[in-house]
């Protein structure tokens, strides 16, 4: 994982995790929101990890995203 300590505050630093670990929080029927508007806000690793997890344990989720996510 990249070192992002200079970009986040100590309060949330302990909550940083891999995309695969974050994908484990998504359950069947959940609503998932992602960022958008330009490639700097493009959701990258987590949506792919959710999709990979869905191949192993299919479920349905609702995805809400900003405009222009690539």
């Amino acid at each position: 994982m990249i070192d992002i300590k200079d970009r986040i505050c100590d309060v949330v630093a302990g909550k940083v995790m891999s995309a695969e670990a974050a994908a484990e929080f998504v359950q069947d029927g959940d609503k998932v929101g992602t960022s958008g508007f330009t490639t700097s806000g493009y959701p990258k690793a987590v949506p792919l990890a959710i999709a990979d997890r869905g191949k192993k344990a299919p479920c349905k989720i609702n995805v809400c995203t900003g405009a222009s996510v690539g």
Side-chain angles (χ1 to χ4, degrees):
M1 196 173 343
I2 62 171
D3 186 12
I4 59 171
K5 292 177 185 172
D6 60 332
R7 298 185 340 196
I8 59 173
C9 66
D10 292 337
V11 175
V12 296
K15 296 182 179 188
V16 175
M17 64 186 74
S18 69
E20 293 76 20
E24 292 296 322
F25 284 96
V26 179
Q27 302 298 314
D28 190 37
D30 280 355
K31 294 179 182 173
V32 177
T34 65
S35 60
F37 296 103
T38 78
T39 55
S40 63
Y42 177 71
K44 300 167 184 71
V46 175
L48 293 174
I50 294 169
D52 286 342
R53 182 169 172 243
K55 292 175 187 174
K56 299 171 192 160
C59 67
K60 291 184 180 181
I61 63 172
N62 293 305
V63 178
C64 300
T65 186
S68 183
V69 293

